[in-house]
Amino acid sequence: MQTPNEERFEKHIEQNLLDNGYISRLYTEYDKNYCQLKEEFISFIKSTQKDDYDKLSKQFETSTDRHLCKVVNDQISKRGIVDVLRKGINTRGSSFDLVYFQPKSGLNPEHKQKYEKNKFTCVRQLHYSNKNENSIDMVLFLNGIPIITMELKNQLTGQNIRHSEKQYSYDRNPLGEPLLQFKRCLVHFCIDNDKVSMTTRLNGSKTRFLPYNKGIENPIVENGYRTEYMWNDIFRPDSLLDIIENFVLVVVESSKEWSNKLQKVVNEKSEILIFPRYHQLDVIRRLRSKVKEEGVGHNYLVQHTTGSGKSYSIGWLAHTLTSLYRANTDVKRMFDSILVITDRKVLDSQLQKTLKDLQQTEGVVSPVDVNSKQLKDYLEKGKDIIVTTIQKFPVISETISQLKGQTFAVIIDEVHSSQSGETSKHLKKSLSVEVLEDEDGEIDYEEMIRREIESRGKQEHISFFGFTGTPKNKTLELFGTKNEDGGFEPFHSYSMKQSIFEGFTLDVLEHYTTYKRYFKVKQTGEQDEELPEGRAMKLLVDYVDSHDEVIKQKVSIILNHFTAVTSKKINGRGRGLVVVRSRKHCVMFFQEMVRQMKERGLSYSCLVAFSGTVHLMGQEFTESSLNSSNGMEGNNIPSAFKDPKFRLLIVSSKFQTGFDEPLLHSMYVDKKLNGVQCVQTLSRLNRTKTGKTDTFVLDFVNDTEEIVNSFQPYYTSTILKEETEPDRLYDLQYEIEAYNLFTDDHIDRFCKEFYKETETDENLQPIINEVVDNWKELETDEERDGFKSKIQSFSRLYSYISQIINFTEVNWEKLYVFLRYVNKKLPKGETEKLDITEAVDLSSLRIQMIGESNLSLEDKTGILYPIDGDSGGLKAEEEKNLLSYIIERINEVYGIDLSEEDRLDLQNVTERLDKNEELNAVMKGNNSEYDRKDYFKKVLKDEVSEYYGDRLEFYKKIMNTKVFPMILDGMYREYKRASY
């Protein structure tokens, strides 16, 4: 038996390359000065471009070969390998191509013949230097020109890719070595039996290697190496030619940085050679293959999280689709125009730049940067790639609906906020759109409404490609791929877990600290007014959380942490984001923070971001007025935040998404977060930066369990368990008709009038008014609320289902249109306005740290469930109670003075209850709810009584007549939740 060694690993790879069409050469044939296999190169030129070679020979005669080799070497040194391979060289009136790419169509048979003459060569142990005897394990050549270097390690010798990386970093100094210069080769790979990494720039100890694996771990290969995909897939001649033609590119990336020398924000530029990461190459090739197989008119969802290089993936896909032919013999491409749509109000500059960097022919990319007329013109002319924003949907949809003879590919960045809900059909037909805004003026595109049945469902001349890291259930059903179990899943995934593992993003849940505020309020007014208990309790809590003293203490806690910890992070440049619950709180926190920062004599201050105008204490405040009063020049907050004199930014909704600032290290949260909004908000921290090794979250209001539940569905890949059930609409229709408020005649008369081309709506009014009058005659508020709830549920569910299922239930369409306008005309419920601020005061307050946690997520597929149209139930009549009682309840809930030791004791009690078999038997037996709770109460008291001797203070706190009922309720609910 032979002993495993590195040479055997090399031989194995070489043999597989030879089987895949390579030829092998000795390193002695390599010219170290020109970095070429000269004979290979000249042979290729003579076999493919003999006329030009002969023409050049008339000028140089016997020195023609030397001249050609020198020109190629010089041009690669000046322009880089990518540009030279793609565009060739010119010399003395002759032009030479250095490679021929695979023909996209059957238009040019001669081109196919030249393509087949490309020569791929591998050289083992290439001695590349004139200064020493260093050798690289293996180098791949294309037509005599080196394109890829590799350092190989056989793990059975005790070495792995880390040793390869060290070799490249410390023993492969690029100084004075032609082959190792930036842009001379496409990429340098480190490969062992199990893993792969790569770099496109050798830079000594600063060389950065990126993982190049199929996933976090490469899958086991039966009777083979886990890394066999490199030589059996990536290095195949057709694969490398595809990468060279369509993927690799040299870009100039710019980032805004603060210059201490110039005392201003400057654009720092750096040149980067992009070689596609494995998942990027994989998704484009899979999409390319699937679209060819299925044809136009299908939807695809790509779940790629932050750190995946999404802008490049979108760019590569757009350019791939412009030259996609279903068969090699076809002469007409599959798509006439590619629309790239971003949901940002300002066109995504990075995405637009990426698309332009990738274009190899001027004019392929057409950004819509003037107006809607320009967009319409581009669509009608069939421009190759059109880049626009979601705000232009009406123009897009109207024009596309008229261009049935053309085919379109529509690529959407962050599909969940742009395309699910009502907006997707907006791309297919021009509609009257009801725009909904939140308190910060942000448009909710998911709630736009469709009108006509013809505009619903798939259209055969449009394919959609949606990119998102956090798909909602609607998004999965609209764009996902249906699996064997009837659920929906992404076409391709690059997970949050993999991004964190590979170091492209940071884990924002690793250092998560929660605080809780304890307070008591007292009644100041003499009148003991009877108020709705639920709303009054909410108002009391809101009153406390807007109280000057509460904000003062929270700001103090934030600044204590920021000055002690965050300000020292990222080489002393760490920034913090303060997320508050409203625009009003933005103003209050900003004013208090500015005051305390001045009081502490800090050399830096804060900024604030919110939309519109806030009216507070008789004054008007805007983002601009507050920031300018604090020394900010101009109105560009992201740029100003680079300035060392601004280290904290206070926001409510603005900048919770789409704000990429790598210097953000800490987030201070004073706002309820959940679901996708929670993931997107906290992910503002996850960008990497030199010197940034961790992140920190300080949370005043959210439970860690809720945070974990928000992140868990998106940690790996996400699936929708099952599809939405259309027959639920029949149930809702029956329930609505059971109220007997209208007849089929009402619907028919309304729709007949509605679809007429008239300039007035007066004839619609009497029909709707009949229904409204009948609604008013219902006996109870519960019935009236029930009817409203049902028609809203029907409209919401029908609006969604009609997008994803092709059906022609005309009666549903008519009912949908009719009910939409009935709902608009029904009187809105008026809630009595409560004001308790004059009747109460804050008597005590304590904000206490609960503890720091490393919130861990489970390694499992995230599961979402379809919408069912339910509106969340009816509003019950609010129970009213005296203000004094409500205040007492508030103090019971928020005024307990439990220490950390007390909390641990309660945890021990909980664990003993879980293990109590008699309690478990009673809880699961055929007993009434009253009997269950009564027995639970008895067992709980017995368990707490065990502490009477050793922990008397704990016993007294828990058995307090005010505290125990709340403890009992909470533990009883938790016990049932865990058991059932």
Side-chain angles (χ1 to χ4, degrees):
M1 177 182 172
Q2 291 186 340
T3 303
N5 56 43
E6 196 174 287
E7 184 182 5
R8 293 182 67 183
F9 189 40
E10 278 182 31
K11 282 183 177 179
H12 175 82
I13 296 173
E14 180 185 41
Q15 186 56 54
N16 278 271
L17 290 173
L18 296 179
D19 292 342
N20 284 327
Y22 279 71
I23 56 175
S24 181
R25 290 283 183 256
L26 297 173
Y27 75 85
T28 51
E29 299 176 50
Y30 174 71
D31 188 301
K32 298 177 182 178
N33 297 312
Y34 287 167
C35 298
Q36 293 165 18
L37 296 172
K38 293 168 74 173
E39 287 188 14
E40 291 279 336
F41 170 63
I42 296 300
S43 171
F44 169 77
I45 294 293
K46 286 180 177 179
S47 67
T48 57
Q49 299 155 88
K50 190 172 187 309
D51 290 345
D52 280 290
Y53 179 83
D54 291 343
K55 179 181 173 183
L56 194 65
S57 295
K58 291 177 181 177
Q59 299 180 58
F60 289 94
E61 297 179 348
T62 57
S63 61
T64 303
D65 294 356
R66 183 178 179 281
H67 174 77
L68 262 178
C69 292
K70 182 179 186 304
V71 170
V72 169
N73 177 62
D74 291 346
Q75 288 298 302
I76 292 176
S77 297
K78 292 173 184 175
R79 294 159 50 197
I81 183 73
V82 177
D83 194 59
V84 171
L85 285 177
R86 283 186 178 155
K87 297 178 181 176
I89 59 166
N90 297 298
T91 177
R92 302 295 178 93
S94 296
S95 299
F96 294 94
D97 294 319
L98 305 190
V99 60
Y100 288 97
F101 298 114
Q102 187 170 17
K104 300 290 191 303
S105 69
L107 290 172
N108 191 343
E110 184 186 344
H111 185 96
K112 186 173 186 298
Q113 293 173 3
K114 290 187 174 182
Y115 167 74
E116 292 171 349
K117 291 186 177 180
N118 289 310
K119 283 188 176 181
F120 280 84
T121 309
C122 64
V123 177
R124 287 173 52 196
Q125 294 301 320
L126 183 84
H127 292 255
Y128 61 88
S129 178
N130 283 318
K131 299 190 294 185
N132 55 53
E133 286 302 309
N134 285 353
S135 64
I136 293 175
D137 288 341
M138 188 173 290
V139 179
L140 305 184
F141 292 77
L142 169 57
N143 299 327
I145 299 169
I147 55 173
I148 293 173
T149 78
M150 285 178 266
E151 288 293 352
L152 310 172
K153 298 298 172 190
N154 188 341
Q155 286 162 284
L156 297 181
T157 67
Q159 294 199 318
N160 55 37
I161 61 167
R162 298 292 165 251
H163 294 89
S164 295
E165 292 172 0
K166 187 176 179 182
Q167 211 167 5
Y168 270 126
S169 299
Y170 297 99
D171 300 335
R172 304 285 179 262
N173 189 340
L175 188 64
E177 298 292 356
L179 179 66
L180 304 183
Q181 296 304 301
F182 177 56
K183 298 194 295 183
R184 167 64 72 170
C185 289
L186 299 176
V187 63
H188 308 279
F189 278 111
C190 301
I191 304 175
D192 65 25
N193 311 142
D194 294 338
K195 293 181 179 180
V196 184
S197 65
M198 71 165 187
T199 185
T200 57
R201 183 195 287 266
L202 295 177
N203 193 24
S205 60
K206 295 180 181 178
T207 302
R208 186 188 177 204
F209 291 92
L210 307 180
Y212 202 82
N213 301 305
K214 286 188 168 186
I216 292 176
E217 298 287 340
N218 281 316
I220 293 175
V221 176
E222 189 175 351
N223 300 321
Y225 296 109
R226 291 186 186 222
T227 49
E228 56 82 27
Y229 61 93
M230 293 302 296
W231 46 91
N232 287 332
D233 179 12
I234 303 299
F235 295 157
R236 289 179 67 94
D238 56 346
S239 168
L240 285 180
L241 287 169
D242 177 34
I243 291 171
I244 294 167
E245 181 185 16
N246 300 308
F247 290 91
V248 288
L249 73 156
V250 177
V251 299
V252 177
E253 290 195 346
S254 61
S255 61
K256 289 187 175 181
E257 300 289 347
W258 176 259
S259 168
N260 285 321
K261 182 179 179 181
L262 299 175
Q263 286 295 294
K264 67 176 184 179
V265 176
V266 297
N267 264 338
E268 288 193 354
K269 297 184 177 182
S270 58
E271 195 175 35
I272 298 171
L273 197 166
I274 302 292
F275 189 92
R277 288 155 62 187
Y278 183 83
H279 69 274
Q280 293 173 319
L281 191 62
D282 190 53
V283 69
I284 302 304
R285 286 180 169 174
R286 287 183 187 228
L287 282 170
R288 185 164 59 192
S289 174
K290 197 67 174 175
V291 172
K292 282 184 177 183
E293 175 192 329
E294 295 184 334
V296 181
H298 297 272
N299 298 345
Y300 307 91
L301 178 65
V302 179
Q303 185 180 358
H304 281 192
T305 192
T306 307
S308 67
K310 188 174 58 175
S311 289
Y312 288 112
S313 297
I314 290 174
W316 283 317
L317 177 61
H319 284 281
T320 295
L321 295 176
T322 60
S323 56
L324 196 62
Y325 295 82
R326 194 156 191 188
N328 291 338
T329 54
D330 286 355
V331 295
K332 186 182 186 307
R333 62 187 190 178
M334 293 186 70
F335 297 102
D336 294 301
S337 291
I338 317 299
L339 280 148
V340 180
I341 298 170
T342 175
D343 65 343
R344 316 259 170 88
K345 288 181 179 177
V346 178
L347 199 61
D348 190 315
S349 57
Q350 182 190 353
L351 185 52
Q352 188 181 146
K353 182 181 181 302
T354 300
L355 285 159
K356 285 208 164 188
D357 284 337
L358 284 165
Q359 74 177 359
Q360 295 174 36
T361 305
E362 192 66 33
V364 170
V365 179
S366 303
V368 177
D369 48 15
V370 179
N371 53 30
S372 297
K373 184 178 180 301
Q374 180 192 32
L375 170 60
K376 191 171 182 180
D377 184 53
Y378 285 171
L379 285 167
E380 289 172 347
K381 288 181 178 177
K383 292 279 189 179
D384 288 332
I385 298 175
I386 303 167
V387 192
T388 186
T389 60
I390 189 125
Q391 285 73 31
K392 301 238 174 10
F393 266 14
V395 179
I396 296 169
S397 57
E398 181 182 11
T399 309
I400 288 180
S401 68
Q402 295 168 356
L403 299 173
K404 295 285 187 183
Q406 296 184 33
T407 53
F408 299 92
V410 183
I411 304 172
I412 310 102
D413 181 12
E414 285 304 322
V415 65
H416 63 78
S417 54
S418 308
Q419 278 292 288
S420 57
E422 295 293 350
T423 314
S424 65
K425 281 174 283 183
H426 210 345
L427 275 167
K428 302 167 187 172
K429 186 165 175 61
S430 182
L431 303 169
S432 298
V433 180
E434 179 180 333
V435 176
L436 303 175
E437 297 183 348
D438 66 16
E439 64 170 65
D440 277 353
E442 297 294 320
I443 297 173
D444 187 351
Y445 289 102
E446 294 193 29
E447 299 305 323
M448 293 180 177
I449 298 176
R450 307 294 176 248
R451 281 233 205 127
E452 303 173 18
I453 198 166
E454 291 83 2
S455 69
R456 295 177 167 85
K458 291 182 178 179
Q459 291 203 9
E460 293 181 356
H461 67 305
I462 305 172
S463 292
F464 289 102
F465 303 83
F467 283 75
T468 179
T470 50
K472 296 179 182 176
N473 52 4
K474 291 180 180 182
T475 305
L476 278 160
E477 194 161 2
L478 278 169
F479 292 88
T481 302
K482 196 166 186 177
N483 59 30
E484 294 177 355
D485 299 324
F488 295 85
E489 57 193 29
F491 178 82
H492 196 276
S493 295
Y494 176 81
S495 68
M496 182 188 299
K497 179 183 179 184
Q498 186 171 350
S499 182
I500 292 169
F501 179 83
E502 293 184 342
F504 290 102
T505 51
L506 295 166
D507 183 358
V508 299
L509 302 184
E510 190 174 4
H511 301 287
Y512 205 102
T513 297
T514 51
Y515 274 71
K516 188 166 185 176
R517 41 104 173 91
Y518 301 94
F519 60 82
K520 292 185 179 180
V521 290
K522 63 183 178 181
Q523 189 171 358
T524 56
E526 296 179 4
Q527 187 81 17
D528 202 0
E529 185 180 357
E530 196 173 68
L531 300 171
E533 182 174 347
R535 286 170 57 211
M537 289 183 74
K538 184 178 184 305
L539 281 172
L540 279 167
V541 174
D542 287 345
Y543 164 76
V544 170
D545 285 328
S546 300
H547 196 281
D548 291 346
E549 183 58 31
V550 176
I551 291 176
K552 179 181 177 182
Q553 285 200 28
K554 285 179 178 176
V555 168
S556 179
I557 290 168
I558 291 169
L559 289 178
N560 285 344
H561 178 269
F562 186 86
T563 54
V565 181
T566 307
S567 64
K568 299 177 176 63
K569 294 286 185 173
I570 319 178
N571 302 320
R573 296 185 295 160
R575 301 291 195 270
L577 194 69
V578 183
V579 181
V580 298
R581 61 196 68 197
S582 71
R583 297 184 304 155
K584 181 183 78 170
H585 284 82
C586 276
V587 176
M588 294 188 293
F589 268 78
F590 177 81
Q591 291 176 327
E592 179 59 27
M593 192 163 284
V594 169
R595 187 191 70 77
Q596 288 196 32
M597 292 173 111
K598 287 180 178 177
E599 193 176 79
R600 293 175 183 233
L602 299 178
S603 60
Y604 48 84
S605 192
C606 60
L607 296 170
V608 65
F610 60 90
S611 302
T613 302
V614 172
H615 299 271
L616 191 64
M617 303 293 287
Q619 290 182 269
E620 288 188 354
F621 298 96
T622 65
E623 168 191 288
S624 178
S625 67
L626 289 170
N627 287 332
S628 61
S629 70
N630 201 34
M632 175 181 155
E633 297 176 3
N635 57 5
N636 189 329
I637 289 175
S639 182
F641 201 40
K642 300 280 188 184
D643 191 328
K645 70 181 181 183
F646 300 115
R647 303 286 296 273
L648 283 155
L649 174 60
I650 302 165
V651 304
S652 59
S653 290
K654 205 171 180 181
F655 293 132
Q656 271 187 249
T657 59
F659 180 46
D660 295 335
E661 175 46 73
L663 291 176
L664 269 180
H665 174 274
S666 299
M667 188 177 293
Y668 307 95
V669 182
D670 194 40
K671 176 180 183 175
K672 276 287 183 183
L673 301 173
N674 58 71
V676 170
Q677 177 216 34
C678 174
V679 177
Q680 291 185 331
T681 300
L682 295 180
S683 293
R684 296 308 98 211
L685 298 179
N686 69 11
R687 275 47 175 185
T688 56
K689 181 82 174 174
T690 302
K692 184 177 178 181
T693 57
D694 60 5
T695 65
F696 176 84
V697 180
L698 190 158
D699 197 327
F700 291 108
V701 293
N702 296 288
D703 293 329
T704 54
E705 185 178 351
E706 294 169 353
I707 300 297
V708 168
N709 289 340
S710 294
F711 270 79
Q712 187 60 62
Y714 309 108
Y715 186 52
T716 57
S717 63
T718 311
I719 66 168
L720 181 68
K721 185 70 173 174
E722 57 194 28
E723 65 184 323
T724 304
E725 178 50 66
D727 286 351
R728 170 68 176 134
L729 285 168
Y730 286 117
D731 298 336
L732 288 167
Q733 183 180 356
Y734 298 147
E735 291 165 11
I736 291 166
E737 290 171 347
Y739 284 89
N740 294 315
L741 301 186
F742 59 86
T743 65
D744 290 344
D745 182 58
H746 285 96
I747 300 171
D748 290 337
R749 283 190 289 132
F750 180 86
C751 289
K752 186 176 180 181
E753 192 65 40
F754 179 78
Y755 285 109
K756 279 184 182 176
E757 293 292 334
T758 60
E759 295 182 2
T760 176
D761 298 328
E762 63 180 340
N763 291 332
L764 297 173
Q765 298 296 328
I767 306 169
I768 295 292
N769 288 340
E770 285 182 42
V771 184
V772 173
D773 290 342
N774 292 338
W775 177 81
K776 290 177 178 176
E777 293 299 317
L778 291 171
E779 291 185 6
T780 66
D781 287 341
E782 185 176 353
E783 286 182 288
R784 286 186 281 274
D785 288 340
F787 178 78
K788 287 176 73 172
S789 174
K790 298 295 182 188
I791 67 174
Q792 288 166 5
S793 294
F794 180 90
S795 296
R796 182 164 46 249
L797 187 58
Y798 177 74
S799 172
Y800 174 59
I801 286 178
S802 61
Q803 301 173 61
I804 57 177
I805 297 173
N806 287 320
F807 60 92
T808 53
E809 181 62 82
V810 177
N811 288 335
W812 273 351
E813 173 67 18
K814 291 163 65 177
L815 180 61
Y816 168 69
V817 172
F818 176 68
L819 291 180
R820 280 182 62 212
Y821 288 92
V822 168
N823 185 54
K824 289 174 184 288
K825 199 73 190 285
L826 289 175
K828 301 289 185 289
E830 293 187 6
T831 305
E832 178 189 1
K833 190 170 183 179
L834 299 182
D835 185 1
I836 59 169
T837 55
E838 299 298 322
V840 297
D841 197 5
L842 187 64
S843 64
S844 68
L845 170 72
R846 178 166 53 87
I847 301 176
Q848 179 178 317
M849 186 173 83
I850 302 303
E852 181 177 319
S853 307
N854 179 350
L855 308 186
S856 57
L857 301 171
E858 294 183 56
D859 188 9
K860 63 180 183 180
T861 300
I863 297 177
L864 301 179
Y865 292 89
I867 67 167
D868 59 10
D870 289 343
S871 59
L874 308 178
K875 288 184 179 177
E877 181 70 26
E878 286 192 82
E879 183 180 345
K880 291 194 174 184
N881 259 308
L882 295 177
L883 178 59
S884 55
Y885 169 77
I886 295 168
I887 290 174
E888 185 179 322
R889 285 285 296 134
I890 282 286
N891 286 333
E892 287 174 7
V893 176
Y894 295 102
I896 309 175
D897 187 20
L898 291 178
S899 66
E900 178 63 17
E901 189 176 2
D902 296 332
R903 190 186 66 77
L904 291 173
D905 286 337
L906 267 180
Q907 182 63 38
N908 290 331
V909 169
T910 302
E911 290 172 2
R912 289 203 296 275
L913 290 173
D914 291 340
K915 296 173 182 176
N916 190 311
E917 294 182 3
E918 290 183 15
L919 174 62
N920 189 46
V922 171
M923 293 295 287
K924 291 186 176 179
N926 187 22
N927 299 303
S928 69
E929 184 69 9
Y930 175 83
D931 289 338
R932 286 190 189 119
K933 189 166 184 179
D934 189 59
Y935 189 79
F936 184 90
K937 178 179 177 181
K938 174 184 176 300
V939 175
L940 176 61
K941 280 187 173 182
D942 290 344
E943 291 292 349
V944 175
S945 296
E946 294 290 323
Y947 290 85
Y948 184 83
D950 297 332
R951 296 271 289 116
L952 184 59
E953 282 303 312
F954 170 73
Y955 173 81
K956 286 180 178 179
K957 286 180 189 176
I958 301 303
M959 299 307 292
N960 180 289
T961 54
K962 294 180 180 178
V963 172
F964 185 76
M966 185 182 65
I967 296 288
L968 172 63
D969 285 346
M971 294 184 74
Y972 182 68
R973 280 197 307 271
E974 181 61 24
Y975 184 93
K976 287 203 303 179
R977 187 193 67 77
S979 300
Y980 308 116

